[in-house]
Amino acid sequence: MNLAKTRLGEAAIKEVVKYVLKEPEKNLPKLINWAEKIVIREQDKKYIASIKKYLDDKDSNWYKYTYKLLTETHPNVREKIGINYFLNATFFGIPMQLENEKKYDCNIPWAILMDPTSACNLNCIGCWAGMYKTWNLDFETLDRIVTEGKQLGIYMYIFSGGEPLIRKNDIIKLCEKHDDCAFLSFTNGTLIDEEFAKEMQRVGNFAVAFSIEGFEEETDMRRGKGTFKAVMKAMDILKEAGCVFGFSTTYHRYNTEAVASQEYIDLMIEKGCRFGWYFTYVPVGKDSDVNFMATPEQRKYMYKRINEIRAKDPIFVLDFWNDGEFSRGCIAGGRRYFHINANGDCEPCAFIHYSNMNIKEHSLLEVLQSPLFKAYRKRQPFNENQLRPCPLIDNPEALKEMVHETNAYSTQLNDDETVDELSEKLMYYANEWARVAEEIWNEKHIIK
């Protein structure tokens, strides 16, 4: 019997983790050695071996990152990182997800992205929520999603919007009720104050990713005057409280070089960010413009810089598109995540505004078994070159085919653009990126 799969085994493992985190610098090597002995999946064994390699080198950026994370966070937050993020959401959760994938013949995600509200106190260029009515998912619906998700092994929940922290009271209430889950919210940062930082510190299982577009000029250009200074202040508040936070940056034609610069990364580390999440601009929503997209050369440059940052800086960064080779292609459609908008429409991805089902009318499992999600599962990965993972900006003909095949409806309010028109609009960019991506892929995977 695998002890970790029993309630007694889970409880014992959690007590060990709590013990280790009381004195992380002294006890973490013991935890790594112990983890080596209890993991079963080959993939997990490789992860543990990689972690051990870096933590044995006290000069490595990952050693510095790990110990800063575990020693500079509030004890309550630190314990929730170990228990909720790493044990429940990953160590215990992923095996449950894999079992349920076989049982129900559908994708079971690692995380669910959902919008508590479409309302926002800013008016950013290119934000799809800017075209929506003021929609809200009530607390009972949010609670049901998490409850049903845990039954499938899903313990990671992410909020987007709109501005999720307009619903900050309900979010904290959800964190309290489901204190075995990990929660993360994208936020513009303008609603964070000392009082809310204390609430984050108290519940421990809630982190935020600040939406920021670079330095003051780049951020305020897209998000409005004064936004950059508000984010800097909010970061200082959360750092002082020992909370976990990171940055979320959309790179486009006009800011790629700034947000990839060492100066920018150094600033984010100095402010206390533990992670950085890069997204390339996708032309959907209000004022969408293909010419605002990063050029293929800029996307290639970002691919290079992300790997350089990971190799030497004490911060965990990832690129939602360019890291397709690590996730083995597209993670949407429930494969690793999917999106529920504030109206309840269940979309394969936050950037794919098509759906078959609404969560207010269907169970979570029914959504994961919906025709559009099944169409995703049947085709993933969408391209053998995993630097071209996306069925929208990299393989737009795939999205067109799936929407027609499943009779999916558009979830974009006042949408007068057909999926055929959207696909055609992105075809030139997809072809240009294909040429660049093939060069990178061949050099790295075939020639080597």
Side-chain angles (χ1 to χ4, degrees):
M1 176 185 291
N2 179 8
L3 180 63
K5 288 188 175 182
T6 68
R7 289 293 179 187
L8 179 61
E10 286 188 18
I13 290 171
K14 288 174 183 178
E15 287 305 313
V16 170
V17 171
K18 288 179 183 179
Y19 163 75
V20 168
L21 292 177
K22 288 179 181 178
E23 295 183 274
E25 191 162 5
K26 174 184 175 183
N27 292 326
L28 194 58
K30 299 178 184 177
L31 178 63
I32 299 300
N33 290 332
W34 175 67
E36 277 187 307
K37 296 178 175 62
I38 66 169
V39 295
I40 295 174
R41 295 193 310 154
E42 286 301 318
Q43 186 177 355
D44 294 330
K45 291 179 181 179
K46 291 178 181 178
Y47 287 151
I48 295 296
S50 179
I51 292 170
K52 185 176 181 180
K53 172 186 173 184
Y54 286 110
L55 293 186
D56 282 344
D57 179 7
K58 294 191 176 184
D59 293 324
S60 76
N61 59 314
W62 290 111
Y63 178 93
K64 295 172 184 176
Y65 172 82
T66 301
Y67 284 101
K68 282 171 68 71
L69 176 65
L70 294 178
T71 58
E72 295 180 2
T73 52
H74 187 273
N76 193 38
V77 176
R78 185 165 66 225
E79 181 177 305
K80 294 290 185 171
I81 291 172
I83 302 296
N84 293 21
Y85 285 84
F86 292 106
L87 286 186
N88 293 346
T90 303
F91 186 73
F92 298 134
I94 290 178
M96 287 179 63
Q97 294 157 22
L98 296 175
E99 288 178 8
N100 283 315
E101 280 187 4
K102 294 178 182 178
K103 180 178 179 181
Y104 297 112
D105 190 29
C106 65
N107 284 331
I108 303 293
W110 179 72
I112 296 176
L113 174 69
M114 51 190 178
D115 302 348
T117 183
S118 62
C120 187
N121 58 331
L122 297 183
N123 187 29
C124 305
I125 296 172
C127 174
W128 58 74
M131 292 186 69
Y132 292 158
K133 299 176 182 177
T134 300
W135 289 327
N136 292 286
L137 292 176
D138 59 34
F139 178 81
E140 289 71 26
T141 301
L142 295 171
D143 178 42
R144 177 172 66 83
I145 292 168
V146 178
T147 300
E148 292 181 11
K150 288 196 293 186
Q151 293 170 357
L152 297 172
I154 307 165
Y155 287 84
M156 182 73 204
Y157 296 88
I158 306 173
F159 302 111
S160 59
E163 170 50 48
L165 295 190
I166 287 176
R167 298 280 303 282
K168 63 171 72 173
N169 292 336
D170 279 338
I171 287 176
I172 291 296
K173 184 179 174 183
L174 204 64
C175 293
E176 289 175 324
K177 182 169 183 180
H178 299 281
D179 65 351
D180 53 348
C181 289
F183 295 92
L184 168 71
S185 179
F186 295 105
T187 178
N188 61 40
T190 60
L191 302 179
I192 290 178
D193 53 20
E194 286 82 358
E195 181 181 355
F196 186 66
K198 289 179 181 177
E199 286 294 273
M200 287 180 61
Q201 184 191 85
R202 179 179 64 83
V203 296
N205 59 340
F206 181 65
V208 299
F210 289 100
S211 298
I212 182 170
E213 309 299 322
F215 300 102
E216 186 168 14
E217 180 181 353
E218 295 86 7
T219 299
D220 288 3
M221 181 272 287
R222 189 176 179 206
R223 297 185 172 272
K225 187 174 177 59
T227 305
F228 178 81
K229 289 181 179 177
V231 171
M232 294 297 100
K233 180 180 178 181
M235 285 184 176
D236 290 340
I237 290 171
L238 293 189
K239 183 179 181 181
E240 178 67 24
C243 297
V244 172
F245 62 91
F247 69 88
S248 168
T249 292
T250 298
Y251 61 94
H252 50 75
R253 185 181 295 264
Y254 305 106
N255 75 341
T256 295
E257 290 70 25
V259 299
S261 69
Q262 191 61 46
E263 182 183 3
Y264 181 68
I265 293 298
D266 289 344
L267 174 63
M268 296 297 100
I269 295 172
E270 177 190 340
K271 299 302 288 188
C273 290
R274 307 300 179 185
F275 61 90
W277 208 334
Y278 284 96
F279 299 85
T280 193
Y281 171 79
V282 178
V284 293
K286 181 170 67 71
D287 303 325
S288 65
D289 182 2
V290 173
N291 294 319
F292 207 71
M293 297 176 74
T295 66
E297 290 71 24
Q298 287 175 315
R299 187 168 167 183
K300 177 182 179 181
Y301 174 66
M302 184 61 74
Y303 173 82
K304 174 176 176 254
R305 279 294 295 140
I306 290 288
N307 284 290
E308 289 175 347
I309 294 164
R310 278 197 284 243
K312 67 182 185 65
D313 292 305
I315 186 170
F316 177 66
V317 292
L318 52 87
D319 186 316
F320 192 73
W321 278 266
N322 284 345
D323 279 339
E325 61 185 319
F326 299 111
S327 60
R328 300 194 299 279
C330 172
I331 65 171
R335 180 169 169 261
R336 291 289 82 195
Y337 105 107
F338 77 97
H339 178 236
I340 305 173
N341 71 18
N343 190 47
D345 298 306
C346 299
E347 304 164 336
C349 175
F351 301 94
I352 304 294
H353 295 173
Y354 292 92
S355 178
N356 291 129
M357 292 185 178
N358 190 293
I359 196 65
K360 297 173 185 176
E361 301 163 357
H362 295 274
S363 70
L364 183 57
L365 184 57
E366 287 173 331
V367 167
L368 293 169
Q369 294 174 325
S370 68
L372 185 54
F373 282 45
K374 286 274 195 177
Y376 260 72
R377 188 174 192 233
K378 181 172 67 176
R379 291 169 173 83
Q380 289 168 322
F382 292 101
N383 201 297
E384 291 183 6
N385 182 336
Q386 291 165 6
L387 293 176
R388 299 172 57 197
C390 181
L392 177 59
I393 65 171
D394 299 327
N395 308 279
E397 70 286 349
L399 176 63
K400 179 172 69 173
E401 184 180 272
M402 290 188 294
V403 169
H404 287 307
E405 177 185 304
T406 62
N407 293 316
Y409 60 84
S410 172
T411 59
Q412 185 72 55
L413 193 67
N414 300 326
D415 187 13
D416 57 1
E417 183 178 61
T418 68
V419 69
D420 296 46
E421 291 169 335
L422 176 62
S423 175
E424 183 62 31
K425 181 171 74 174
L426 289 165
M427 192 61 72
Y428 177 78
Y429 172 87
N431 290 336
E432 288 298 293
W433 171 245
R435 174 180 53 80
V436 176
E438 287 303 311
E439 293 174 2
I440 302 172
W441 191 260
N442 290 343
E443 180 180 352
K444 187 169 184 179
H445 293 275
I446 297 178
I447 297 174
K448 182 181 282 188

